[in-house]
Structures are given as structure tokens and as C-alpha cells.
Amino acid sequence: MDLDAFERARATDWARLDELVRQRRRTGAEADELVRLYQSVATDLSSVRSAAPDPEMVTRLSMLVGRARAAIAGTHEPSWRDVTTFVAVALPAALYRIRWWTVGVTVAFLVLGVTAGVWVATQPDALASMGTPSQQQEYVDKSFAEYYAPGAGFATMVWTNNAFLTAVCIATGITGIGPVWFLANNAISVGATGGMMAAHGHLDVFLQLIAPHGLLELTAVFVAGAAGLRIFWTWVDPGPRTRGTALAQESRALFTVAIGLVGVLAVSGLIEGFVTGSALPWAVKVGIGIVALVAFWTYTLVLGRRAVRAGHTGDLEADRAGYVLATAG
């Protein structure tokens, strides 16, 4: 294909389509002309991509076709229906699809965390790496408990920090390294802290302060790790789909999880900010944590199973996931 000759022959239609797209208001005849030219230019784009895929021309025509399609179909207006669909369908479907990945990550995390804790609690050299004896005593007697200061500021700080870290874990999932580092670092840190508290006879304090918010917070960590690893595995084994298609679909679906975890961690942050460090009886605090965890898994399993059986994955609807243009030839 002679691109210069092709452009000279079609430039008038391209310019006219661009002009119509830029108009804020159109007559009935202009609307019909817009649709006709959109179809014609879409065919031109298909021909260029098939016969002579010049990057500059493909980009220019793709943008023109995309703008024309938006002018014809109209822009999407967010609504409460979309929010309801996300909360009741898309998010639970995405969480349900990675439930076994989440279970696997949970088991691996607990094994590594307990191993680190036992090692610190029973090996003098490992315990010594946690600080000097006076520093350790100060931490287990005061600093650990004082960290959980009740208040909205503390809850907000915890929420935003954890939401950012889980989003990064999912976003770096394709590397395979990001989620593993994130999970291993957290498991060793939590386990080592618990081991130090146990070595000083304060394991009960550790568990009482971790359990109220930690049951839900750590579950969010496990889910983020599972989502990130699932994206990596999709890159390794895309199945019957092309690797690019599989990654696009799974990444969109599982980044739904990142958005959902913002809400999950908000609840965890509220518990950590207003329950963990409060004067409530320990049984009540732990009970609140258990209720929050049960609510999360009930939401995931009940609504998620229903959504998946209805064919949902957590991905965007087809008309919002990206316009796929047919290729001639």
C-alpha cells in the first residue's frame, strides 16, 4: 500500500470526521454523516493496520476513531447502579476467583511467620538482632502497646499506608517478585515481633493487640498477595487466550481487588484506631475482629459464588474494557 497516496485520497473524509467530532451540536443530517464517516474511517484504519502498519498513521486514526465512537455512543456517566454492581457483583466475583490462592498464601504466611517467631524466641543470636536488652524491654513493656493509640488520625494513617502497600503488591504482581517480597517481609516482621514478645513473657499481649484488627488486616494482605501472584501466573500460563489478552483481562479483574481492599482496610483501620487500643475487655475486642473476618469471608463466598456462577469475573463489561477493531485481510 502506498500510504501517501492513500492518505491523499482519504484525507478529506478524515478531516470532515474530525470536524464533526469537535462540534458540540449536530443536525440530524450531520449525525448520520458522523456515523457513516466513523464506519468508513474505521475501515481505513483496519486496512492500514493490515497492509502497511505505519505507527504514526495507526495512532492518529485510532484516536480519531475512538473520539468518533465516543461522540456517537456518548460518555459514560457514573451512577449509584455502577457502585452497587461493583460492590455486589464485580468485587466478590474477583475475590471468589482467587479464594484458593488466598488460602495458599495464608498458609505459607503463617508457616513463615511462626517459624520466624519460634526462631527469635528460642535462639539467643536471633533475639539479640532485635535490639539491645534494654531496647527490647522498653518495646515489650511500653512501645508495642503505646503504638495503638486510639483516634481518627491513627486510623487514617494506618488505612492509607496499608491500602497503598496492598495496591503496590497487586500492581507489581506480574514480576512475581513484588508479591513474594511483600508477603515474606510482612511474615518475618510480624513473626519476629511475636517471638520477641514471647521471649519476654508477653505473647498474650501481642496476640491481644494484634487479633482485633489483624485478623482482617492480614487477610487483606493475603488477598493482595494472592491477586498479585495470580497475575504473575497468568503471564506464565495464559491458557487458551493469548498472553496479552489474558494479562489484560486478569489485571483489570484483579485490580478490582485493589480497589475493594481500600474498603476492607478502612474497616480494619477503624478497628485498629478505635477498638484495639481502647479500654474494652479483650474478649470483646477479639470478638469484633472475628466478626469482621467472618463477614469478609461470608461476603466473598456467598456473593462471590453467585456472581461467578452468573458469568462475572470482576473484569470490566465488554463495552468498557476497550474497543476491539476488526482487522482486514
Side-chain angles (χ1 to χ4, degrees):
M1 175 186 288
D2 186 334
L3 285 178
D4 291 335
F6 183 76
E7 183 173 4
R8 285 195 297 271
R10 303 296 301 147
T12 301
D13 281 353
W14 299 350
R16 177 56 178 164
L17 179 60
D18 181 67
E19 180 184 347
L20 290 171
V21 167
R22 293 175 183 276
Q23 291 182 198
R24 294 179 62 86
R25 295 182 179 181
R26 306 174 193 88
T27 64
E30 287 174 335
D32 291 340
E33 184 182 10
L34 173 63
V35 173
R36 179 183 63 78
L37 287 174
Y38 162 72
Q39 295 171 335
S40 176
V41 176
T43 301
D44 292 343
L45 174 58
S46 177
S47 299
V48 171
R49 296 171 87 177
S50 301
D54 176 67
E56 188 278 331
M57 185 174 291
V58 168
T59 300
R60 181 153 52 94
L61 291 180
S62 295
M63 293 178 63
L64 178 57
V65 168
R67 289 166 50 223
R69 180 175 182 270
I72 293 169
T75 56
H76 172 66
E77 293 293 337
S79 64
W80 281 110
R81 179 179 177 277
D82 294 322
V83 175
T84 301
T85 300
F86 176 84
V87 173
V89 178
L91 177 58
L95 292 170
Y96 184 80
R97 290 177 60 239
I98 60 170
R99 65 195 185 284
W100 291 117
W101 286 81
T102 303
V103 171
V105 166
T106 301
V107 172
F109 186 101
L110 292 177
V111 169
L112 181 57
V114 170
T115 300
V118 171
W119 183 260
V120 169
T122 59
Q123 301 297 317
D125 290 343
L127 181 61
S129 69
M130 301 294 290
T132 65
S134 60
Q135 289 174 332
Q136 293 179 29
Q137 200 65 53
E138 172 72 15
Y139 183 81
V140 299
D141 288 342
K142 295 181 60 179
S143 300
F144 184 75
E146 289 177 353
Y147 172 77
Y148 299 101
F154 176 68
T156 302
M157 181 270 292
V158 169
W159 171 39
T160 54
N161 180 66
N162 289 339
F164 172 75
L165 292 176
T166 53
V168 169
C169 178
I170 297 174
T172 59
I174 193 171
T175 67
I177 298 173
V180 171
W181 182 90
F182 175 74
L183 292 167
N185 185 62
N186 275 276
I188 293 171
S189 177
V190 173
T193 300
M196 182 175 66
M197 296 287 287
H200 288 272
H202 288 73
L203 182 60
D204 56 337
V205 176
F206 173 78
L207 294 176
Q208 290 169 356
L209 286 172
I210 285 291
H213 65 276
L215 292 172
L216 186 60
E217 180 179 284
L218 288 176
T219 298
V221 169
F222 304 152
V223 170
L229 291 173
R230 175 61 181 266
I231 293 174
F232 171 71
W233 187 250
T234 298
W235 178 77
V236 173
D237 181 17
R241 299 169 292 181
T242 65
R243 183 166 279 105
T245 298
L247 279 173
Q249 292 174 345
E250 292 298 330
S251 296
R252 286 194 303 262
L254 293 176
F255 213 78
T256 296
V257 172
I259 300 172
L261 288 182
V262 173
V264 174
L265 289 167
V267 175
S268 172
L270 287 173
I271 296 174
E272 189 168 0
F274 294 97
V275 175
T276 298
S278 72
L280 291 170
W282 290 114
V284 174
K285 296 181 183 181
V286 174
I288 291 173
I290 292 173
V291 169
L293 180 63
V294 170
F296 171 82
W297 278 110
T298 301
Y299 169 80
T300 297
L301 297 177
V302 174
L303 294 185
R305 182 185 295 112
R306 182 186 306 165
V308 169
R309 286 179 175 176
H312 299 282
T313 65
D315 193 5
L316 296 173
E317 296 177 6
D319 63 334
R320 298 179 190 175
Y323 182 57
V324 179
L325 194 62
T327 301

